[in-house]
Amino acid sequence: MSEKIIKLCDENEVMYGASIITNGYNLTREVVEQFRNLRLSFIQITLDGPQDVHDKRRPLKSGQGTFEKILVNIEENIDIMPNISLRINVDKENVNRVNEILDGLERRGLKNKLSVYLGYVEPTNDCYVPNKCLSMHE
């Protein structure tokens, strides 16, 4: 779809840009190179906490965790990725463990290569139940 939109924009001298929000699991080199050709300028990748929390909440269908593969994908492709933002979803169960993620990013040499922010979550899916979500005040 992007290729068709880009063609139309180019033909009509209209600027085009795109961004994506992803869990990062499939961000292989091939995929990231395709993104560059599609004028993708921003990638937001989401994590749900440190590895044990994230893997419990976002496993593959087989039950296998996804945290490590996501970080390896970032490491292996950050040199060609556009602007990357890492959103760490926080709630009452993981808010006190955010530093573990930040320390891990530093150990991997990613600390200054992407922006990181904490994401407020609401109970809109099975991962987040009302009594575990932080209030806006918290």
Side-chain angles (χ1 to χ4, degrees):
M1 202 162 100
S2 289
E3 290 171 344
K4 291 178 182 181
I5 294 170
I6 289 169
K7 184 176 186 286
L8 282 171
C9 288
D10 288 350
E11 289 170 355
N12 292 285
E13 298 179 11
V14 174
M15 289 182 55
Y16 173 83
S19 61
I20 189 171
I21 299 172
T22 175
N23 64 16
Y25 189 80
N26 289 319
L27 285 180
T28 62
R29 191 83 172 177
E30 180 182 345
V31 169
V32 175
E33 286 174 351
Q34 288 174 352
F35 284 169
R36 286 192 326 177
N37 295 331
L38 297 174
R39 301 183 191 170
L40 196 77
S41 60
F42 175 79
I43 298 174
Q44 176 186 291
I45 299 170
T46 55
L47 293 176
D48 275 8
Q51 186 167 2
D52 61 313
V53 175
H54 178 89
D55 285 349
K56 180 181 173 188
R57 293 182 185 178
R58 295 193 181 198
L60 297 175
K61 195 173 187 178
S62 67
Q64 179 183 349
T66 57
F67 184 91
E68 183 62 24
K69 176 142 173 57
I70 293 166
L71 289 181
V72 167
N73 285 344
I74 295 170
E75 285 176 309
E76 291 179 351
N77 298 296
I78 198 156
D79 61 319
I80 64 167
M81 283 184 180
N83 184 21
I84 302 172
S85 180
L86 183 65
R87 175 187 160 120
I88 303 169
N89 292 327
V90 293
D91 58 28
K92 291 178 181 177
E93 290 187 336
N94 67 8
V95 68
N96 293 324
R97 298 183 63 198
V98 169
N99 283 339
E100 292 176 44
I101 300 169
L102 299 176
D103 292 344
L105 294 173
E106 186 169 9
R107 281 191 302 276
R108 292 171 181 265
L110 296 172
K111 180 181 174 184
N112 297 315
K113 296 181 179 179
L114 45 80
S115 64
V116 178
Y117 73 100
L118 303 182
Y120 171 76
V121 294
E122 297 181 275
T124 57
N125 63 38
D126 293 340
C127 291
Y128 304 107
V129 292
N131 66 338
K132 293 181 182 179
C133 291
L134 297 167
S135 68
M136 286 299 270
H137 175 74
E138 290 171 312

